[in-house]
């Protein structure tokens, strides 16, 4: 569980650092030159590079967690990165959290504590032989879902793209469990390898599109749902993920509470803009 929580801390903190770098570019260097030019300016800032480094470290923690914990526990822990983003944003970006949002942070922590107590070890089953191919097909379907969702309008588009991104990240979670050998010959012949690459790439594309084209809150809610529920069911049904004896009810309750708390913090899927300081009042004329 420590690796899963470490991944959540890395991802949540990286979101805020990258947001700070992007806003510094906008303020200091102007917004001309398009998105590509802004990105090139952002990557020259230490905060953005530190965020990328934390993303990479978080991915390594995620892989380590998936090799030792049930998928349902890792998925809920990764969703809790929204709580990390909220807390770090409150500190670094001077974002004011409401009483309800602080309560949601506490709810996420309580849910993860329940999962930590109830989670068993990683399942030892490899699932049906067709499962890696199913994951590869799902990754392809995520791309098609993104093409279809991009044509929708309003909140429906953000929700569909967010769900698609969540499904893509879910494919990555399952695919990691389906890769038994890291030998090059085995990796090249394992459909799960291509499912991981295609699912992860599609998820990042859909995530970017969802956050640019619609409500951050709606898109992030779709991502949380997509990356937690489906992979958790795959782990329990086909990969042998179990809880400690007699604590299945606690795991289900903890999972539901952690995901519900993350959904309440969905607006932090993209770190919010800092609240501008009030401008001084100009004295009234005579």
């Amino acid at each position: 569980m420590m690796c899963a929580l470490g991944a959540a801390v890395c991802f949540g903190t990286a979101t805020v650092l990258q947001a700070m770098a992007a806003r510094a570019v906008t303020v200091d260097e102007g917004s001309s030159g398009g998105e590509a030019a802004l990105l090139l300016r952002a990557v020259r800032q230490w905060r953005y590079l530190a965020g990328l480094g934390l993303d990479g470290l978080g991915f390594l923690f995620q892989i380590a967690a998936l090799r030792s914990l049930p998928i349902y526990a890792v998925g809920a822990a990764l969703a809790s990165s929204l709580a990390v983003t909220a807390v770090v944003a409150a500190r670094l970006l001077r974002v004011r959290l409401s009483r309800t949002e602080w309560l949601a942070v506490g709810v996420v922590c309580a849910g993860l504590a329940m999962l930590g107590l109830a989670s068993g070890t990683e399942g030892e089953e490899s699932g049906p032989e067709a499962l890696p191919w199913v994951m590869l097909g799902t990754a392809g379907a995520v791309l098609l879902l993104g093409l279809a969702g991009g044509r929708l309008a309003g909140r429906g588009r953000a929700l569909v793209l967010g769900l698609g991104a969540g499904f893509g990240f879910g494919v990555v979670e399952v695919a990691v469990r389906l890769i038994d050998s890291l030998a090059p010959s085995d990796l090249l012949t394992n459909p799960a390898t291509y499912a991981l690459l295609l699912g992860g790439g599609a998820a990042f594309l859909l995530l970017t599109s969802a956050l640019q084209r619609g409500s951050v809150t709606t898109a992030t809610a779709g991502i949380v749902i997509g990356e937690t529920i489906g992979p958790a069911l795959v782990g329990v049904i086909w990969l042998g993920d179990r809880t400690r004896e007699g604590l299945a009810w606690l795991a289900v309750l903890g999972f539901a509470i952690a995901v519900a708390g993350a959904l309440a913090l969905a607006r932090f899927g993209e770190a919010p803009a800092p609240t501008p300081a009030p401008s001084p009042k100009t004295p009234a004329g005579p």
Side-chain angles (χ1 to χ4, degrees):
M1 181 60 80
M2 293 304 297
C3 286
L5 294 177
V9 170
C10 289
F11 292 143
T13 306
T15 297
V16 178
L17 290 176
Q18 289 165 349
M20 292 177 69
R23 286 174 190 136
V25 167
T26 303
V27 172
D28 296 338
E29 303 183 39
S31 56
S32 61
E35 295 295 327
L38 286 178
L39 178 61
L40 289 176
R41 295 189 187 110
V43 297
R44 295 201 297 264
Q45 297 204 27
W46 71 265
R47 289 186 182 89
Y48 197 91
L49 294 176
L52 290 178
L54 285 174
D55 280 332
L57 181 61
F59 184 65
L60 294 178
F61 278 138
Q62 178 184 357
I63 292 176
L66 287 167
R67 305 302 293 183
S68 59
L69 285 175
I71 293 177
Y72 63 79
V74 178
L78 293 180
S80 74
S81 66
L82 292 173
V84 176
T85 299
V87 173
V88 176
R91 177 70 177 176
L92 298 183
L93 295 180
R94 310 294 187 194
V95 174
R96 184 180 297 276
L97 301 187
S98 67
R99 187 174 301 177
T100 300
E101 287 169 337
W102 278 118
L103 178 61
V105 171
V107 165
V108 169
C109 294
L112 292 177
M114 294 178 188
L115 274 174
L117 290 173
S119 297
T121 58
E122 172 199 11
E124 297 180 355
E125 299 178 18
S126 57
E129 293 184 3
L131 187 56
W133 292 102
V134 171
M135 290 297 102
L136 181 57
T138 303
V142 167
L143 281 177
L144 297 178
L145 183 63
L147 293 176
R151 299 179 180 179
L152 299 176
R155 294 174 66 88
R157 175 170 57 189
L159 180 60
V160 170
L161 291 175
L163 279 171
F167 291 151
F169 289 128
V171 167
V172 171
E173 294 175 16
V174 176
V176 168
R177 286 280 298 275
L178 297 177
I179 297 176
D180 295 324
S181 172
L182 297 180
S185 58
D186 293 330
L187 288 175
L188 291 174
T189 57
N190 190 343
T193 303
Y194 303 100
L196 187 154
L197 297 175
L198 181 59
F204 279 112
L205 288 175
L206 268 64
L207 171 62
T208 301
S209 181
L211 294 178
Q212 288 178 342
R213 298 187 178 187
S215 164
V216 170
T217 301
T218 302
T220 304
I223 292 170
V224 170
I225 293 172
E227 74 176 348
T228 54
I229 297 176
L233 291 175
V234 171
V236 170
I237 295 173
W238 286 301
L239 300 180
D241 287 348
R242 295 294 182 266
T243 64
R244 295 182 182 179
E245 187 174 355
L247 293 180
W249 66 271
L250 185 61
V252 172
L253 182 61
F255 179 87
I257 288 176
V259 171
L263 290 174
L265 296 167
R267 78 177 176 100
F268 293 95
E270 183 179 54
T275 303
S279 57
K281 294 182 179 180
T282 56

